[in-house]
Amino acid sequence: MQSITLTTADSLPLDACLFEPEQGVEIKGGVIINAATGVKQAFYSRFANHLAAQGYVVLTYDYRGIGESVSLALNDKRLSMQAWGEQDFPAAIDWATDAYPSLNWHCIGHSVGGQIIGLAHNHHKLTSSFGVAAQSGNWRNWALKHQLSFAPVCYVVIPLLSRLFGYFPGAIMGGEHLPKHVALEWARWCRHRDYITDKNGKAYRPYFSDINMPMHFLVVDDDLQFAPEKAVKALSEFYENADTSLSVTTQEERHNSFFGHFGFFRTPAKDTLWPKATAWFEKHDSVNTEIKTRKS
């Protein structure tokens, strides 16, 4: 693993890590991992090492305001989910495709990481994406019993605490502190039927319809609290011109254990679910006999 720094178009530094296959391992392609909301890139390091062992160059990074990418006060207006998609993810794509121009680059989008693909102006540099529990956060996509707990969070808890503290306390959601405007924007999106919207409440889809690459959406069957199947399917429909597909995990693939929103990236999923991602990438890697090396 090698630590690197990405620089966004609006000149913010982002902490990132590069995972490369060992010498002698044939390089098959590249993968950018987009994290879930409030989750540090370090959480994905085991999965990234696994992909590297399978022949993939992997780039992980922390969004602005998360993990090691905290260069601004948490109440700074430049910290937003929209900026994650319009500034941070494009910076990762540009770095990866410039450093390894001969590779086919794919994206793993966990939760919000699958949503922001449609906000990136340079999405065309990607070959495919594989979404893990990536969903439309509109609370109406949840089962009634989960709506009763989720809706109050969107309408009251997040707005109230974010304005009170200048950030949303991460302990409540089990992750990092969320910058104030990330949290407020997220809550606003979740309250709206169109989910990703502008400040006037209009659906915001700058590049979603331009994307025509293969996109797979994996539903974790017991992830009822954060990404139920209806919500995942709803997000897949945002990408109206992409070649989308959807699959659902099984109890057997989870070893009859609880995986929830984060279990895909933990070691128990290594033998059953991780191969689904590598098989997807291999399926969409075009044959290329050119020696694939990083530019000096």
Side-chain angles (χ1 to χ4, degrees), residues 225-262:
Q225 185 176 2
F226 289 102
E229 183 174 353
K230 183 178 178 180
V232 175
K233 186 175 186 297
L235 178 66
S236 73
E237 293 172 352
F238 285 15
Y239 299 96
E240 56 187 346
N241 292 316
D243 179 11
T244 58
S245 57
L246 184 145
S247 65
V248 183
T249 63
T250 64
Q251 286 187 349
E252 290 74 18
E253 289 172 331
R254 291 187 285 103
H255 309 293
N256 294 313
S257 301
F258 176 74
F259 271 28
H261 199 51
F262 302 97

PDB file of all heavy atoms in Angstrom, residues 225-262:
ATOM      1  N   GLN A 225     -32.248  -2.040   6.885  1.00  0.00           N
ATOM      2  CA  GLN A 225     -32.235  -0.749   7.554  1.00  0.00           C
ATOM      3  C   GLN A 225     -31.641   0.364   6.695  1.00  0.00           C
ATOM      4  O   GLN A 225     -32.082   1.510   6.748  1.00  0.00           O
ATOM      5  CB  GLN A 225     -31.455  -0.850   8.870  1.00  0.00           C
ATOM      6  CG  GLN A 225     -31.482   0.429   9.699  1.00  0.00           C
ATOM      7  CD  GLN A 225     -30.793   0.264  11.035  1.00  0.00           C
ATOM      8  OE1 GLN A 225     -30.256  -0.802  11.351  1.00  0.00           O
ATOM      9  NE2 GLN A 225     -30.811   1.313  11.837  1.00  0.00           N
ATOM     10  N   PHE A 226     -30.619   0.011   5.869  1.00  0.00           N
ATOM     11  CA  PHE A 226     -29.910   1.037   5.112  1.00  0.00           C
ATOM     12  C   PHE A 226     -30.113   0.962   3.596  1.00  0.00           C
ATOM     13  O   PHE A 226     -30.056   1.982   2.921  1.00  0.00           O
ATOM     14  CB  PHE A 226     -28.400   0.972   5.406  1.00  0.00           C
ATOM     15  CG  PHE A 226     -28.035   1.425   6.784  1.00  0.00           C
ATOM     16  CD1 PHE A 226     -27.745   0.501   7.768  1.00  0.00           C
ATOM     17  CD2 PHE A 226     -27.988   2.771   7.101  1.00  0.00           C
ATOM     18  CE1 PHE A 226     -27.397   0.905   9.040  1.00  0.00           C
ATOM     19  CE2 PHE A 226     -27.646   3.194   8.367  1.00  0.00           C
ATOM     20  CZ  PHE A 226     -27.356   2.259   9.358  1.00  0.00           C
ATOM     21  N   ALA A 227     -30.321  -0.233   3.043  1.00  0.00           N
ATOM     22  CA  ALA A 227     -30.442  -0.340   1.587  1.00  0.00           C
ATOM     23  C   ALA A 227     -31.345  -1.507   1.193  1.00  0.00           C
ATOM     24  O   ALA A 227     -30.878  -2.514   0.651  1.00  0.00           O
ATOM     25  CB  ALA A 227     -29.064  -0.495   0.954  1.00  0.00           C
ATOM     26  N   PRO A 228     -32.647  -1.396   1.442  1.00  0.00           N
ATOM     27  CA  PRO A 228     -33.560  -2.462   1.024  1.00  0.00           C
ATOM     28  C   PRO A 228     -33.618  -2.548  -0.500  1.00  0.00           C
ATOM     29  O   PRO A 228     -33.246  -1.605  -1.206  1.00  0.00           O
ATOM     30  CB  PRO A 228     -34.903  -2.009   1.606  1.00  0.00           C
ATOM     31  CG  PRO A 228     -34.780  -0.528   1.740  1.00  0.00           C
ATOM     32  CD  PRO A 228     -33.346  -0.273   2.084  1.00  0.00           C
ATOM     33  N   GLU A 229     -34.093  -3.672  -0.986  1.00  0.00           N
ATOM     34  CA  GLU A 229     -34.084  -3.917  -2.433  1.00  0.00           C
ATOM     35  C   GLU A 229     -34.807  -2.829  -3.217  1.00  0.00           C
ATOM     36  O   GLU A 229     -34.355  -2.410  -4.281  1.00  0.00           O
ATOM     37  CB  GLU A 229     -34.704  -5.285  -2.725  1.00  0.00           C
ATOM     38  CG  GLU A 229     -34.662  -5.658  -4.201  1.00  0.00           C
ATOM     39  CD  GLU A 229     -35.141  -7.068  -4.472  1.00  0.00           C
ATOM     40  OE1 GLU A 229     -35.389  -7.815  -3.500  1.00  0.00           O
ATOM     41  OE2 GLU A 229     -35.270  -7.435  -5.665  1.00  0.00           O
ATOM     42  N   LYS A 230     -35.935  -2.338  -2.713  1.00  0.00           N
ATOM     43  CA  LYS A 230     -36.675  -1.300  -3.426  1.00  0.00           C
ATOM     44  C   LYS A 230     -35.836  -0.049  -3.617  1.00  0.00           C
ATOM     45  O   LYS A 230     -35.873   0.601  -4.675  1.00  0.00           O
ATOM     46  CB  LYS A 230     -37.962  -0.958  -2.664  1.00  0.00           C
ATOM     47  CG  LYS A 230     -38.840   0.068  -3.358  1.00  0.00           C
ATOM     48  CD  LYS A 230     -40.121   0.337  -2.569  1.00  0.00           C
ATOM     49  CE  LYS A 230     -40.975   1.406  -3.257  1.00  0.00           C
ATOM     50  NZ  LYS A 230     -42.227   1.682  -2.480  1.00  0.00           N
ATOM     51  N   ALA A 231     -35.039   0.309  -2.615  1.00  0.00           N
ATOM     52  CA  ALA A 231     -34.202   1.507  -2.697  1.00  0.00           C
ATOM     53  C   ALA A 231     -33.047   1.314  -3.673  1.00  0.00           C
ATOM     54  O   ALA A 231     -32.661   2.240  -4.401  1.00  0.00           O
ATOM     55  CB  ALA A 231     -33.665   1.865  -1.313  1.00  0.00           C
ATOM     56  N   VAL A 232     -32.473   0.111  -3.690  1.00  0.00           N
ATOM     57  CA  VAL A 232     -31.384  -0.188  -4.632  1.00  0.00           C
ATOM     58  C   VAL A 232     -31.911  -0.159  -6.067  1.00  0.00           C
ATOM     59  O   VAL A 232     -31.288   0.421  -6.965  1.00  0.00           O
ATOM     60  CB  VAL A 232     -30.745  -1.552  -4.312  1.00  0.00           C
ATOM     61  CG1 VAL A 232     -29.699  -1.911  -5.363  1.00  0.00           C
ATOM     62  CG2 VAL A 232     -30.111  -1.522  -2.917  1.00  0.00           C
ATOM     63  N   LYS A 233     -33.056  -0.768  -6.274  1.00  0.00           N
ATOM     64  CA  LYS A 233     -33.654  -0.768  -7.620  1.00  0.00           C
ATOM     65  C   LYS A 233     -33.964   0.659  -8.064  1.00  0.00           C
ATOM     66  O   LYS A 233     -33.774   1.025  -9.233  1.00  0.00           O
ATOM     67  CB  LYS A 233     -34.924  -1.618  -7.635  1.00  0.00           C
ATOM     68  CG  LYS A 233     -35.531  -1.800  -9.026  1.00  0.00           C
ATOM     69  CD  LYS A 233     -36.719  -2.748  -8.978  1.00  0.00           C
ATOM     70  CE  LYS A 233     -37.230  -3.046 -10.389  1.00  0.00           C
ATOM     71  NZ  LYS A 233     -37.746  -1.842 -11.076  1.00  0.00           N
ATOM     72  N   ALA A 234     -34.435   1.493  -7.128  1.00  0.00           N
ATOM     73  CA  ALA A 234     -34.758   2.875  -7.467  1.00  0.00           C
ATOM     74  C   ALA A 234     -33.523   3.619  -7.960  1.00  0.00           C
ATOM     75  O   ALA A 234     -33.590   4.385  -8.934  1.00  0.00           O
ATOM     76  CB  ALA A 234     -35.358   3.587  -6.255  1.00  0.00           C
ATOM     77  N   LEU A 235     -32.373   3.414  -7.299  1.00  0.00           N
ATOM     78  CA  LEU A 235     -31.149   4.078  -7.753  1.00  0.00           C
ATOM     79  C   LEU A 235     -30.734   3.572  -9.127  1.00  0.00           C
ATOM     80  O   LEU A 235     -30.330   4.355  -9.996  1.00  0.00           O
ATOM     81  CB  LEU A 235     -30.004   3.863  -6.764  1.00  0.00           C
ATOM     82  CG  LEU A 235     -28.676   4.490  -7.210  1.00  0.00           C
ATOM     83  CD1 LEU A 235     -28.773   6.010  -7.256  1.00  0.00           C
ATOM     84  CD2 LEU A 235     -27.526   4.047  -6.310  1.00  0.00           C
ATOM     85  N   SER A 236     -30.846   2.282  -9.358  1.00  0.00           N
ATOM     86  CA  SER A 236     -30.452   1.731 -10.660  1.00  0.00           C
ATOM     87  C   SER A 236     -31.235   2.396 -11.790  1.00  0.00           C
ATOM     88  O   SER A 236     -30.717   2.582 -12.896  1.00  0.00           O
ATOM     89  CB  SER A 236     -30.648   0.211 -10.691  1.00  0.00           C
ATOM     90  OG  SER A 236     -32.019  -0.142 -10.756  1.00  0.00           O
ATOM     91  N   GLU A 237     -32.461   2.795 -11.508  1.00  0.00           N
ATOM     92  CA  GLU A 237     -33.296   3.430 -12.532  1.00  0.00           C
ATOM     93  C   GLU A 237     -32.886   4.876 -12.811  1.00  0.00           C
ATOM     94  O   GLU A 237     -33.279   5.447 -13.819  1.00  0.00           O
ATOM     95  CB  GLU A 237     -34.763   3.347 -12.110  1.00  0.00           C
ATOM     96  CG  GLU A 237     -35.288   1.907 -12.111  1.00  0.00           C
ATOM     97  CD  GLU A 237     -36.672   1.769 -11.509  1.00  0.00           C
ATOM     98  OE1 GLU A 237     -37.178   2.770 -10.935  1.00  0.00           O
ATOM     99  OE2 GLU A 237     -37.246   0.662 -11.590  1.00  0.00           O
ATOM    100  N   PHE A 238     -32.089   5.481 -11.907  1.00  0.00           N
ATOM    101  CA  PHE A 238     -31.544   6.810 -12.187  1.00  0.00           C
ATOM    102  C   PHE A 238     -30.655   6.760 -13.430  1.00  0.00           C
ATOM    103  O   PHE A 238     -30.582   7.722 -14.183  1.00  0.00           O
ATOM    104  CB  PHE A 238     -30.707   7.319 -11.014  1.00  0.00           C
ATOM    105  CG  PHE A 238     -31.494   7.777  -9.813  1.00  0.00           C
ATOM    106  CD1 PHE A 238     -32.840   7.468  -9.656  1.00  0.00           C
ATOM    107  CD2 PHE A 238     -30.882   8.517  -8.825  1.00  0.00           C
ATOM    108  CE1 PHE A 238     -33.556   7.892  -8.546  1.00  0.00           C
ATOM    109  CE2 PHE A 238     -31.574   8.961  -7.719  1.00  0.00           C
ATOM    110  CZ  PHE A 238     -32.919   8.640  -7.564  1.00  0.00           C
ATOM    111  N   TYR A 239     -29.946   5.630 -13.599  1.00  0.00           N
ATOM    112  CA  TYR A 239     -29.010   5.458 -14.710  1.00  0.00           C
ATOM    113  C   TYR A 239     -29.775   4.861 -15.892  1.00  0.00           C
ATOM    114  O   TYR A 239     -29.582   3.708 -16.268  1.00  0.00           O
ATOM    115  CB  TYR A 239     -27.846   4.569 -14.277  1.00  0.00           C
ATOM    116  CG  TYR A 239     -27.036   5.149 -13.130  1.00  0.00           C
ATOM    117  CD1 TYR A 239     -27.292   4.778 -11.809  1.00  0.00           C
ATOM    118  CD2 TYR A 239     -26.016   6.072 -13.369  1.00  0.00           C
ATOM    119  CE1 TYR A 239     -26.549   5.311 -10.750  1.00  0.00           C
ATOM    120  CE2 TYR A 239     -25.275   6.608 -12.320  1.00  0.00           C
ATOM    121  CZ  TYR A 239     -25.548   6.223 -11.025  1.00  0.00           C
ATOM    122  OH  TYR A 239     -24.813   6.764  -9.985  1.00  0.00           O
ATOM    123  N   GLU A 240     -30.645   5.653 -16.473  1.00  0.00           N
ATOM    124  CA  GLU A 240     -31.631   5.150 -17.417  1.00  0.00           C
ATOM    125  C   GLU A 240     -31.048   4.608 -18.708  1.00  0.00           C
ATOM    126  O   GLU A 240     -31.681   3.787 -19.381  1.00  0.00           O
ATOM    127  CB  GLU A 240     -32.641   6.260 -17.735  1.00  0.00           C
ATOM    128  CG  GLU A 240     -32.005   7.546 -18.255  1.00  0.00           C
ATOM    129  CD  GLU A 240     -33.031   8.662 -18.401  1.00  0.00           C
ATOM    130  OE1 GLU A 240     -34.232   8.360 -18.350  1.00  0.00           O
ATOM    131  OE2 GLU A 240     -32.613   9.821 -18.571  1.00  0.00           O
ATOM    132  N   ASN A 241     -29.849   5.052 -19.092  1.00  0.00           N
ATOM    133  CA  ASN A 241     -29.249   4.587 -20.346  1.00  0.00           C
ATOM    134  C   ASN A 241     -28.066   3.651 -20.132  1.00  0.00           C
ATOM    135  O   ASN A 241     -27.419   3.242 -21.099  1.00  0.00           O
ATOM    136  CB  ASN A 241     -28.816   5.790 -21.187  1.00  0.00           C
ATOM    137  CG  ASN A 241     -30.007   6.590 -21.683  1.00  0.00           C
ATOM    138  OD1 ASN A 241     -30.995   6.020 -22.143  1.00  0.00           O
ATOM    139  ND2 ASN A 241     -29.932   7.904 -21.574  1.00  0.00           N
ATOM    140  N   ALA A 242     -27.797   3.317 -18.886  1.00  0.00           N
ATOM    141  CA  ALA A 242     -26.726   2.369 -18.590  1.00  0.00           C
ATOM    142  C   ALA A 242     -27.229   0.940 -18.789  1.00  0.00           C
ATOM    143  O   ALA A 242     -28.431   0.676 -18.810  1.00  0.00           O
ATOM    144  CB  ALA A 242     -26.231   2.562 -17.163  1.00  0.00           C
ATOM    145  N   ASP A 243     -26.292   0.033 -18.942  1.00  0.00           N
ATOM    146  CA  ASP A 243     -26.616  -1.391 -19.041  1.00  0.00           C
ATOM    147  C   ASP A 243     -26.649  -1.940 -17.621  1.00  0.00           C
ATOM    148  O   ASP A 243     -25.655  -2.450 -17.109  1.00  0.00           O
ATOM    149  CB  ASP A 243     -25.555  -2.093 -19.896  1.00  0.00           C
ATOM    150  CG  ASP A 243     -25.817  -3.581 -20.033  1.00  0.00           C
ATOM    151  OD1 ASP A 243     -26.917  -4.038 -19.659  1.00  0.00           O
ATOM    152  OD2 ASP A 243     -24.905  -4.294 -20.513  1.00  0.00           O
ATOM    153  N   THR A 244     -27.796  -1.789 -16.948  1.00  0.00           N
ATOM    154  CA  THR A 244     -27.877  -2.123 -15.531  1.00  0.00           C
ATOM    155  C   THR A 244     -28.369  -3.549 -15.298  1.00  0.00           C
ATOM    156  O   THR A 244     -29.152  -4.095 -16.061  1.00  0.00           O
ATOM    157  CB  THR A 244     -28.816  -1.157 -14.789  1.00  0.00           C
ATOM    158  OG1 THR A 244     -30.118  -1.214 -15.382  1.00  0.00           O
ATOM    159  CG2 THR A 244     -28.296   0.271 -14.848  1.00  0.00           C
ATOM    160  N   SER A 245     -27.886  -4.119 -14.209  1.00  0.00           N
ATOM    161  CA  SER A 245     -28.360  -5.424 -13.748  1.00  0.00           C
ATOM    162  C   SER A 245     -28.388  -5.397 -12.225  1.00  0.00           C
ATOM    163  O   SER A 245     -27.725  -4.566 -11.594  1.00  0.00           O
ATOM    164  CB  SER A 245     -27.447  -6.549 -14.252  1.00  0.00           C
ATOM    165  OG  SER A 245     -26.103  -6.340 -13.838  1.00  0.00           O
ATOM    166  N   LEU A 246     -29.146  -6.308 -11.646  1.00  0.00           N
ATOM    167  CA  LEU A 246     -29.316  -6.328 -10.193  1.00  0.00           C
ATOM    168  C   LEU A 246     -29.349  -7.765  -9.713  1.00  0.00           C
ATOM    169  O   LEU A 246     -29.931  -8.638 -10.368  1.00  0.00           O
ATOM    170  CB  LEU A 246     -30.614  -5.597  -9.812  1.00  0.00           C
ATOM    171  CG  LEU A 246     -30.939  -5.410  -8.333  1.00  0.00           C
ATOM    172  CD1 LEU A 246     -31.639  -4.064  -8.113  1.00  0.00           C
ATOM    173  CD2 LEU A 246     -31.846  -6.546  -7.828  1.00  0.00           C
ATOM    174  N   SER A 247     -28.711  -8.020  -8.588  1.00  0.00           N
ATOM    175  CA  SER A 247     -28.774  -9.345  -7.983  1.00  0.00           C
ATOM    176  C   SER A 247     -28.909  -9.207  -6.472  1.00  0.00           C
ATOM    177  O   SER A 247     -28.620  -8.152  -5.904  1.00  0.00           O
ATOM    178  CB  SER A 247     -27.525 -10.174  -8.326  1.00  0.00           C
ATOM    179  OG  SER A 247     -26.357  -9.592  -7.761  1.00  0.00           O
ATOM    180  N   VAL A 248     -29.374 -10.275  -5.842  1.00  0.00           N
ATOM    181  CA  VAL A 248     -29.620 -10.269  -4.400  1.00  0.00           C
ATOM    182  C   VAL A 248     -28.829 -11.403  -3.766  1.00  0.00           C
ATOM    183  O   VAL A 248     -28.827 -12.536  -4.268  1.00  0.00           O
ATOM    184  CB  VAL A 248     -31.126 -10.443  -4.100  1.00  0.00           C
ATOM    185  CG1 VAL A 248     -31.388 -10.366  -2.598  1.00  0.00           C
ATOM    186  CG2 VAL A 248     -31.948  -9.397  -4.847  1.00  0.00           C
ATOM    187  N   THR A 249     -28.169 -11.111  -2.656  1.00  0.00           N
ATOM    188  CA  THR A 249     -27.422 -12.150  -1.950  1.00  0.00           C
ATOM    189  C   THR A 249     -28.388 -13.140  -1.304  1.00  0.00           C
ATOM    190  O   THR A 249     -29.596 -12.886  -1.195  1.00  0.00           O
ATOM    191  CB  THR A 249     -26.525 -11.549  -0.856  1.00  0.00           C
ATOM    192  OG1 THR A 249     -27.352 -10.913   0.134  1.00  0.00           O
ATOM    193  CG2 THR A 249     -25.566 -10.531  -1.427  1.00  0.00           C
ATOM    194  N   THR A 250     -27.843 -14.248  -0.856  1.00  0.00           N
ATOM    195  CA  THR A 250     -28.651 -15.269  -0.188  1.00  0.00           C
ATOM    196  C   THR A 250     -28.114 -15.519   1.217  1.00  0.00           C
ATOM    197  O   THR A 250     -26.983 -15.146   1.558  1.00  0.00           O
ATOM    198  CB  THR A 250     -28.603 -16.590  -0.966  1.00  0.00           C
ATOM    199  OG1 THR A 250     -27.254 -17.091  -0.951  1.00  0.00           O
ATOM    200  CG2 THR A 250     -29.054 -16.392  -2.416  1.00  0.00           C
ATOM    201  N   GLN A 251     -28.925 -16.185   2.025  1.00  0.00           N
ATOM    202  CA  GLN A 251     -28.488 -16.555   3.367  1.00  0.00           C
ATOM    203  C   GLN A 251     -27.258 -17.450   3.311  1.00  0.00           C
ATOM    204  O   GLN A 251     -26.352 -17.344   4.145  1.00  0.00           O
ATOM    205  CB  GLN A 251     -29.610 -17.270   4.115  1.00  0.00           C
ATOM    206  CG  GLN A 251     -30.736 -16.367   4.583  1.00  0.00           C
ATOM    207  CD  GLN A 251     -31.731 -17.105   5.465  1.00  0.00           C
ATOM    208  OE1 GLN A 251     -31.690 -18.332   5.563  1.00  0.00           O
ATOM    209  NE2 GLN A 251     -32.619 -16.361   6.104  1.00  0.00           N
ATOM    210  N   GLU A 252     -27.227 -18.347   2.321  1.00  0.00           N
ATOM    211  CA  GLU A 252     -26.088 -19.255   2.195  1.00  0.00           C
ATOM    212  C   GLU A 252     -24.808 -18.477   1.922  1.00  0.00           C
ATOM    213  O   GLU A 252     -23.735 -18.795   2.467  1.00  0.00           O
ATOM    214  CB  GLU A 252     -26.334 -20.261   1.068  1.00  0.00           C
ATOM    215  CG  GLU A 252     -27.414 -21.290   1.359  1.00  0.00           C
ATOM    216  CD  GLU A 252     -28.827 -20.708   1.279  1.00  0.00           C
ATOM    217  OE1 GLU A 252     -29.001 -19.626   0.673  1.00  0.00           O
ATOM    218  OE2 GLU A 252     -29.751 -21.339   1.829  1.00  0.00           O
ATOM    219  N   GLU A 253     -24.895 -17.451   1.081  1.00  0.00           N
ATOM    220  CA  GLU A 253     -23.712 -16.644   0.795  1.00  0.00           C
ATOM    221  C   GLU A 253     -23.263 -15.847   2.015  1.00  0.00           C
ATOM    222  O   GLU A 253     -22.093 -15.493   2.143  1.00  0.00           O
ATOM    223  CB  GLU A 253     -24.002 -15.694  -0.375  1.00  0.00           C
ATOM    224  CG  GLU A 253     -24.129 -16.408  -1.712  1.00  0.00           C
ATOM    225  CD  GLU A 253     -24.611 -15.490  -2.813  1.00  0.00           C
ATOM    226  OE1 GLU A 253     -25.354 -14.514  -2.521  1.00  0.00           O
ATOM    227  OE2 GLU A 253     -24.259 -15.739  -3.979  1.00  0.00           O
ATOM    228  N   ARG A 254     -24.197 -15.597   2.911  1.00  0.00           N
ATOM    229  CA  ARG A 254     -23.857 -14.909   4.159  1.00  0.00           C
ATOM    230  C   ARG A 254     -23.509 -15.900   5.267  1.00  0.00           C
ATOM    231  O   ARG A 254     -23.325 -15.496   6.422  1.00  0.00           O
ATOM    232  CB  ARG A 254     -25.026 -14.037   4.615  1.00  0.00           C
ATOM    233  CG  ARG A 254     -25.296 -12.844   3.745  1.00  0.00           C
ATOM    234  CD  ARG A 254     -26.364 -11.937   4.367  1.00  0.00           C
ATOM    235  NE  ARG A 254     -27.716 -12.459   4.273  1.00  0.00           N
ATOM    236  CZ  ARG A 254     -28.392 -13.033   5.263  1.00  0.00           C
ATOM    237  NH1 ARG A 254     -27.824 -13.177   6.448  1.00  0.00           N
ATOM    238  NH2 ARG A 254     -29.624 -13.475   5.091  1.00  0.00           N
ATOM    239  N   HIS A 255     -23.438 -17.175   4.942  1.00  0.00           N
ATOM    240  CA  HIS A 255     -23.178 -18.217   5.948  1.00  0.00           C
ATOM    241  C   HIS A 255     -24.214 -18.154   7.068  1.00  0.00           C
ATOM    242  O   HIS A 255     -23.905 -18.435   8.241  1.00  0.00           O
ATOM    243  CB  HIS A 255     -21.765 -18.085   6.532  1.00  0.00           C
ATOM    244  CG  HIS A 255     -20.690 -17.983   5.502  1.00  0.00           C
ATOM    245  ND1 HIS A 255     -20.358 -19.021   4.663  1.00  0.00           N
ATOM    246  CD2 HIS A 255     -19.866 -16.938   5.167  1.00  0.00           C
ATOM    247  CE1 HIS A 255     -19.371 -18.629   3.850  1.00  0.00           C
ATOM    248  NE2 HIS A 255     -19.067 -17.379   4.140  1.00  0.00           N
ATOM    249  N   ASN A 256     -25.437 -17.756   6.701  1.00  0.00           N
ATOM    250  CA  ASN A 256     -26.532 -17.617   7.668  1.00  0.00           C
ATOM    251  C   ASN A 256     -26.214 -16.634   8.789  1.00  0.00           C
ATOM    252  O   ASN A 256     -26.817 -16.688   9.873  1.00  0.00           O
ATOM    253  CB  ASN A 256     -26.903 -18.984   8.264  1.00  0.00           C
ATOM    254  CG  ASN A 256     -27.487 -19.914   7.226  1.00  0.00           C
ATOM    255  OD1 ASN A 256     -28.355 -19.528   6.448  1.00  0.00           O
ATOM    256  ND2 ASN A 256     -26.997 -21.151   7.195  1.00  0.00           N
ATOM    257  N   SER A 257     -25.265 -15.729   8.534  1.00  0.00           N
ATOM    258  CA  SER A 257     -24.906 -14.694   9.502  1.00  0.00           C
ATOM    259  C   SER A 257     -25.464 -13.350   9.043  1.00  0.00           C
ATOM    260  O   SER A 257     -25.836 -13.187   7.885  1.00  0.00           O
ATOM    261  CB  SER A 257     -23.381 -14.598   9.635  1.00  0.00           C
ATOM    262  OG  SER A 257     -22.833 -15.821  10.058  1.00  0.00           O
ATOM    263  N   PHE A 258     -25.486 -12.380   9.952  1.00  0.00           N
ATOM    264  CA  PHE A 258     -25.956 -11.047   9.601  1.00  0.00           C
ATOM    265  C   PHE A 258     -24.827 -10.264   8.935  1.00  0.00           C
ATOM    266  O   PHE A 258     -23.743 -10.127   9.482  1.00  0.00           O
ATOM    267  CB  PHE A 258     -26.431 -10.305  10.852  1.00  0.00           C
ATOM    268  CG  PHE A 258     -26.840  -8.877  10.578  1.00  0.00           C
ATOM    269  CD1 PHE A 258     -28.038  -8.599   9.928  1.00  0.00           C
ATOM    270  CD2 PHE A 258     -26.017  -7.821  10.947  1.00  0.00           C
ATOM    271  CE1 PHE A 258     -28.416  -7.294   9.660  1.00  0.00           C
ATOM    272  CE2 PHE A 258     -26.386  -6.511  10.693  1.00  0.00           C
ATOM    273  CZ  PHE A 258     -27.589  -6.245  10.050  1.00  0.00           C
ATOM    274  N   PHE A 259     -25.076  -9.763   7.731  1.00  0.00           N
ATOM    275  CA  PHE A 259     -24.091  -8.953   7.017  1.00  0.00           C
ATOM    276  C   PHE A 259     -24.477  -7.474   7.037  1.00  0.00           C
ATOM    277  O   PHE A 259     -23.641  -6.606   7.188  1.00  0.00           O
ATOM    278  CB  PHE A 259     -23.956  -9.435   5.560  1.00  0.00           C
ATOM    279  CG  PHE A 259     -22.941 -10.512   5.371  1.00  0.00           C
ATOM    280  CD1 PHE A 259     -22.624 -11.398   6.376  1.00  0.00           C
ATOM    281  CD2 PHE A 259     -22.294 -10.645   4.154  1.00  0.00           C
ATOM    282  CE1 PHE A 259     -21.685 -12.392   6.198  1.00  0.00           C
ATOM    283  CE2 PHE A 259     -21.344 -11.637   3.960  1.00  0.00           C
ATOM    284  CZ  PHE A 259     -21.042 -12.517   4.986  1.00  0.00           C
ATOM    285  N   GLY A 260     -25.741  -7.187   6.841  1.00  0.00           N
ATOM    286  CA  GLY A 260     -26.187  -5.813   6.865  1.00  0.00           C
ATOM    287  C   GLY A 260     -25.513  -4.938   5.814  1.00  0.00           C
ATOM    288  O   GLY A 260     -25.117  -5.397   4.742  1.00  0.00           O
ATOM    289  N   HIS A 261     -25.350  -3.668   6.154  1.00  0.00           N
ATOM    290  CA  HIS A 261     -24.878  -2.678   5.186  1.00  0.00           C
ATOM    291  C   HIS A 261     -23.369  -2.768   4.939  1.00  0.00           C
ATOM    292  O   HIS A 261     -22.890  -2.304   3.905  1.00  0.00           O
ATOM    293  CB  HIS A 261     -25.234  -1.280   5.690  1.00  0.00           C
ATOM    294  CG  HIS A 261     -25.225  -0.224   4.628  1.00  0.00           C
ATOM    295  ND1 HIS A 261     -25.906  -0.348   3.429  1.00  0.00           N
ATOM    296  CD2 HIS A 261     -24.603   0.993   4.571  1.00  0.00           C
ATOM    297  CE1 HIS A 261     -25.725   0.735   2.692  1.00  0.00           C
ATOM    298  NE2 HIS A 261     -24.936   1.558   3.357  1.00  0.00           N
ATOM    299  N   PHE A 262     -22.629  -3.372   5.863  1.00  0.00           N
ATOM    300  CA  PHE A 262     -21.172  -3.327   5.784  1.00  0.00           C
ATOM    301  C   PHE A 262     -20.514  -4.695   5.624  1.00  0.00           C
ATOM    302  O   PHE A 262     -19.315  -4.784   5.363  1.00  0.00           O
ATOM    303  CB  PHE A 262     -20.608  -2.643   7.047  1.00  0.00           C
ATOM    304  CG  PHE A 262     -21.143  -1.254   7.250  1.00  0.00           C
ATOM    305  CD1 PHE A 262     -22.220  -1.030   8.105  1.00  0.00           C
ATOM    306  CD2 PHE A 262     -20.605  -0.175   6.577  1.00  0.00           C
ATOM    307  CE1 PHE A 262     -22.734   0.248   8.286  1.00  0.00           C
ATOM    308  CE2 PHE A 262     -21.103   1.112   6.750  1.00  0.00           C
ATOM    309  CZ  PHE A 262     -22.170   1.326   7.603  1.00  0.00           C
TER     310      PHE A 262
END
